[in-house]
Amino acid sequence: MPRTRTLHLAAELAPGTGPSVSAADPLSASSAGTAAARTAAARTVALARLAEAAGLDFLTHDDSFARPGLDALAVLARVAPETRSVGLVPTVTTTHTEPFHVQAAVATLDWVSRGRAGWRIAVSPSGAEARLFGRRPAPPTAELWQEAGEVAEVSRKLWDSWEDDAEIRDVATGRFVDRRKLHHVNFQGATFSVKGPSIVPRPPQGHPVTVVDATRPAARDTAAHHADVALIRASSAEEAAALRADLRQGARAHGRDPGQLRVLLSATVDLDAYEGGPGALAELIAGWHGGGAIDGFHLVPAVPERDLGRFTSDTVTRLRDRGLFRTSYEGATLRDHLGLARPVSQYATTGAHA
């Protein structure tokens, strides 16, 4: 019998926007903000443990410069030591931020989580968000996605700029690294340049997993070129299959193995209002996956505490009963969960030295 394709499941963690704290009393606002931050951290840890118990591949945490609340990458760094297996994928905006610092933060999350990190690349086309920084007007969206692709490219180079065995920690000679195994990347993009090397050793996964929301056409070439996981939205299996085929064809055109690209249907679901409830959702996922339209499903719960709980206890259980989803984690890293190879450092391959 042919081997069943692996089904990948993921979910979003970010809650909706809550009431704001009044700034009339700074001390009161500070106290309330601290309490809210602690509550948010505890809530996120609880949801992550729920998802991990169900064996989900990874969790995303949305973020933007316009969204109030804690930074998504920092939140998932807090979640990392409280979990053991589930992947952690914060949204990271590549507009107005420094690529060198972005890659270092994502690499650090991979170390903190012991190889379970990813990053969902986002851009900021809003003029209001551009004014928060005051560096430049918001460029056209197509240019922002081109820049995001360059950030993804230089991030891979910087992650590779330390060879895997660059750390020697030789106490006798006082040498922490073998400088011959650190490399300048000398990257020149359209809006930035980076010399390197990174300040963070090569991440456990080699390259943390890159996720791109390919819903909008402007993002699709960046997803095809750089993403390990592309998220799509579709109203039918036929539409999803066409999007998946287009992304895989784009990956091939960029010289990539399309078999190393995972395409997940992303959908906002209110399981209280969803016709047929969790069982009908399991039928949809099984049907679209079985027909080759998608590689998996990314749940965006309308109410995370309610819908993620029902998804993991009911929908996932039904998929597992069909033999479509794992009963336990077989690997240790997010790349393991997704069936993605650990990349070899491009500098170790070429033998070039800084």
Side-chain angles (χ1 to χ4, degrees):
M1 293 180 62
R3 185 179 183 274
T4 302
R5 286 192 310 122
T6 301
L7 172 66
H8 301 288
L9 298 177
E12 171 62 35
L13 284 171
T17 302
S20 60
V21 176
S22 169
D25 180 348
L27 292 177
S28 174
S30 175
S31 176
T34 300
R38 289 174 178 164
T39 300
R43 165 201 172 275
T44 306
V45 168
L47 289 173
R49 287 174 171 168
L50 185 68
E52 184 170 76
L56 268 58
D57 291 62
F58 63 89
L59 294 165
T60 56
H61 194 306
D62 200 15
D63 204 356
S64 76
F65 298 132
R67 176 188 285 272
L70 303 177
D71 177 80
L73 198 150
V75 169
L76 293 186
R78 168 68 178 83
V79 171
E82 302 288 346
T83 53
R84 298 183 62 183
S85 300
V86 70
L88 304 172
V89 182
T91 293
V92 179
T93 303
T94 58
T95 313
H96 310 305
T97 51
E98 291 291 340
F100 186 89
H101 296 155
V102 164
Q103 66 80 28
V106 175
T108 300
L109 180 60
D110 204 43
W111 279 107
V112 170
S113 65
R114 298 184 181 182
R116 294 183 285 124
W119 60 322
R120 178 167 58 180
I121 295 175
V123 301
S124 173
S126 160
E129 292 181 18
R131 288 191 290 275
L132 294 174
F133 293 85
R135 294 178 180 173
R136 60 175 177 171
T141 301
E143 291 182 18
L144 294 179
W145 277 110
Q146 179 183 350
E147 180 182 64
E150 291 182 343
V151 174
E153 182 180 352
V154 76
S155 293
R156 291 194 300 271
K157 289 179 177 292
L158 286 164
W159 293 330
D160 285 347
S161 67
W162 288 54
E163 294 185 33
D164 286 318
D165 56 351
E167 289 185 67
I168 54 177
R169 305 192 183 201
D170 190 331
V171 176
T173 62
R175 295 169 66 218
F176 178 71
V177 297
D178 182 345
R179 293 185 62 84
R180 297 171 301 172
K181 297 186 177 183
L182 301 184
H183 307 278
H184 292 144
V185 302
N186 296 319
F187 183 87
Q188 180 65 57
T191 60
F192 65 87
S193 61
V194 178
K195 182 177 181 180
S198 180
I199 55 173
V200 180
R202 193 164 194 247
Q205 295 183 100
H207 299 165
V209 171
T210 299
V211 179
V212 175
D213 185 338
T215 301
R216 297 184 183 278
R220 286 182 195 151
D221 186 66
T222 300
H225 194 174
H226 300 286
D228 299 302
V229 177
L231 303 178
I232 62 169
R233 290 181 180 264
S235 57
S236 68
E238 292 75 19
E239 182 184 3
L243 287 169
R244 180 175 182 266
D246 184 58
L247 286 163
R248 286 167 61 88
Q249 181 178 350
R252 186 179 289 108
H254 283 294
R256 299 182 58 198
D257 174 5
Q260 290 290 294
L261 173 62
R262 306 288 176 257
V263 180
L264 274 59
L265 175 70
S266 183
T268 301
V269 179
D270 181 338
L271 282 172
D272 270 3
Y274 191 81
E275 186 176 354
L281 182 58
E283 290 289 337
L284 182 146
I285 294 170
W288 289 28
H289 177 261
I294 56 175
D295 299 307
F297 182 75
H298 173 246
L299 172 77
V300 182
V303 181
E305 287 81 358
R306 180 196 69 201
D307 295 319
L308 182 58
R310 294 185 68 187
F311 180 74
T312 56
S313 66
D314 196 329
T315 303
V316 174
T317 299
R318 291 170 186 260
L319 293 169
R320 187 177 288 131
D321 289 345
R322 291 182 174 208
L324 297 178
F325 193 61
R326 67 173 64 89
T327 57
S328 62
Y329 292 101
E330 296 180 1
T333 71
L334 179 51
R335 299 191 79 88
D336 289 338
H337 304 342
L338 293 166
L340 299 172
R342 184 180 189 273
V344 175
S345 168
Q346 57 196 285
Y347 299 104
T349 301
T350 63
H353 294 298

